[in-house]
């Protein structure tokens, strides 16, 4: 399906499934934010960088924390700096514009060329946060009360929003998004992903490492399932340690690279 001249495709550093590529391109064509969910380690955050690389556009990242307010993404009025300048007789203290600092959303709206805006881990903020952004993401503008100016997007940014599903997002917000859940990669896709990180990896070592990795993930009592990045780190550790495929069939060296909880290490000990 070809909807636009600039279409997102997998890059050398990021392997995307067909479903994910379609979701990205539908969101771009419909000019709606793309909400991405998936368990940690499925490449949600890296997706935005891959889109920026694929479409040759600048990436602006707004990392959300528990204390983040929607207003910070638009602009902040630096009253303290203005007061400080006033006390020391700085020139231009009456020019309020000097003390308006654009946030990440404001930066994306003000860019001369279309950018990718990543709103990362939106579910970390309080429940009102997504609702507070509805108007701005819909209308692509916001009002600065102090200067009585409206900031309107020069080029509508491509908005990617990630969530770890820690909290339910409001229905009104969800209605405005295209949604995609990134499934954990199956073995063939994982093999492709891993190979983008290594110039050379022994096929047998890769096979046994992946078998062990997926076995651990499928264990009922494992509390923290290892993620893609941990598999990549583990294969790197195995290579550096000179571990061959034969050894890997009998034992699990450097298991602390993929298993990070005491209880999970205990579970593995009982199995091996």
């Amino acid at each position: 399906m070809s909807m636009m001249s600039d279409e997102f495709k997998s890059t050398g550093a990021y392997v995307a499934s067909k479903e994910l590529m379609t979701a990205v391109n539908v969101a771009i064509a419909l000019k709606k934010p793309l909400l991405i969910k998936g368990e940690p380690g499925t490449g949600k955050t890296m997706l935005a960088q891959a889109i920026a690389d694929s479409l040759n556009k600048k990436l602006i990242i707004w990392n959300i924390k528990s204390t983040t307010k929607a207003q910070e993404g638009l602009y902040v009025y630096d009253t303290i700096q203005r007061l400080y300048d006033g006390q020391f007789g700085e020139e231009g203290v009456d020019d309020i514009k000097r003390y308006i600092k654009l946030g990440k959303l404001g930066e994306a709206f003000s860019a001369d060329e279309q950018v990718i805006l990543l709103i990362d881990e939106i579910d970390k903020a309080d429940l009102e946060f997504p609702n507070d952004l509805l108007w701005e993401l819909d209308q692509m503008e916001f009002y600065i009360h102090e200067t009585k100016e409206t900031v309107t997007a020069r080029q509508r940014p491509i908005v990617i929003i990630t969530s770890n599903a820690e909290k339910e997002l409001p229905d009104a917000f969800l209605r405005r998004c295209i949604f995609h859940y990134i499934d954990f990669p199956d073995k063939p896709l994982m093999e492709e992903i891993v190979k983008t990180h290594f110039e050379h990896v022994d096929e047998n070592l890769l096979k046994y490492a992946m078998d062990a990795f997926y076995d651990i993930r499928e264990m009922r009592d494992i509390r923290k399932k290892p993620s893609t990045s941990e598999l990549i780190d583990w294969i790197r550790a195995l290579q550096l340690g000179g571990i061959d495929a034969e050894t890997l069939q009998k034992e699990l060296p450097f298991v602390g690279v993929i298993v990070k909880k005491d209880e999970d290490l205990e579970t593995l000990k009982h199995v091996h």
Side-chain angles (χ1 to χ4, degrees):
M1 159 168 95
S2 184
M3 290 172 290
M4 50 186 295
S5 54
D6 280 346
E7 279 200 5
F8 166 61
K9 297 183 175 71
S10 288
T11 66
Y14 189 94
V15 179
S17 67
K18 279 184 186 170
E19 294 80 10
L20 178 55
M21 282 189 271
T22 300
V24 171
N25 290 316
V26 166
I28 294 171
L30 296 181
K31 299 181 178 176
K32 285 179 175 284
L34 176 63
L35 173 62
I36 295 286
K37 283 189 182 182
E39 68 173 88
T42 46
K44 298 186 298 296
T45 300
M46 288 170 62
L47 170 65
Q49 183 63 62
I51 296 168
D53 292 343
S54 174
L55 302 180
N56 196 24
K57 293 181 188 295
K58 181 185 172 186
L59 172 63
I60 294 174
I61 300 174
W62 186 10
N63 287 306
I64 307 303
K65 301 181 179 136
S66 58
T67 55
T68 306
K69 300 295 176 203
Q71 176 63 38
E72 294 164 28
L74 310 179
Y75 74 94
V76 289
Y77 172 36
D78 195 344
T79 49
I80 293 169
Q81 184 64 51
R82 191 179 178 210
L83 192 65
Y84 183 84
D85 289 351
Q87 284 178 335
F88 288 90
E90 289 281 331
E91 281 184 31
V93 80
D94 292 334
D95 182 8
I96 293 177
K97 254 189 180 177
R98 283 182 58 187
Y99 303 98
I100 300 293
K101 314 287 184 200
L102 291 177
K104 298 295 185 182
L105 206 61
E107 207 183 305
F109 284 6
S110 301
D112 289 326
E113 294 183 1
Q114 186 182 48
V115 299
I116 313 296
L117 173 66
L118 170 64
I119 304 176
D120 200 25
E121 299 194 317
I122 196 169
D123 53 327
K124 279 193 173 173
D126 66 36
L127 285 171
E128 283 311 305
F129 180 88
N131 281 335
D132 290 343
L133 287 178
L134 290 179
W135 168 267
E136 288 76 16
L137 291 175
D138 256 358
Q139 303 300 318
M140 285 287 149
E141 65 178 37
F142 62 88
Y143 184 68
I144 300 178
H145 296 277
E146 290 79 4
T147 59
K148 298 181 172 55
E149 285 179 304
T150 298
V151 176
T152 303
R154 292 178 188 174
Q155 303 286 343
R156 188 181 194 98
I158 296 168
V159 181
I160 309 297
I161 301 168
T162 69
S163 167
N164 285 324
E166 287 176 16
K167 293 190 195 106
E168 273 303 311
L169 296 170
D171 287 350
F173 183 79
L174 294 174
R175 278 197 297 274
R176 287 162 169 82
C177 297
I178 303 297
F179 174 72
H180 183 78
Y181 186 92
I182 301 183
D183 288 312
F184 197 82
D186 59 13
K187 281 188 180 179
L189 184 60
M190 183 63 86
E191 193 174 322
E192 272 189 74
I193 292 167
V194 168
K195 283 180 175 176
T196 64
H197 291 267
F198 296 92
E199 276 185 33
H200 171 74
V201 58
D202 178 77
E203 290 293 335
N204 285 331
L205 180 74
L206 177 59
K207 180 192 179 303
Y208 291 125
M210 280 184 39
D211 285 350
F213 172 79
Y214 279 96
D215 284 349
I216 292 168
R217 279 185 58 87
E218 282 161 25
M219 284 179 190
R220 192 189 308 161
D221 296 330
I222 291 289
R223 291 183 58 191
K224 186 197 174 297
K225 292 182 178 184
S227 67
T228 307
S229 59
E230 285 157 334
L231 172 61
I232 291 160
D233 287 346
W234 190 41
I235 292 169
R236 193 164 279 127
L238 294 170
Q239 284 187 329
L240 290 170
I243 305 297
D244 59 17
E246 209 173 293
T247 307
L248 202 54
Q249 281 180 280
K250 300 179 212 145
E251 57 180 287
L252 295 178
F254 318 127
V255 73
V257 179
I258 49 170
V259 177
K260 306 286 176 70
K261 285 188 176 283
D262 298 346
E263 306 95 309
D264 293 347
L265 284 169
E266 283 301 316
T267 301
L268 273 187
K269 276 181 195 167
H270 293 308
V271 174
H272 287 271

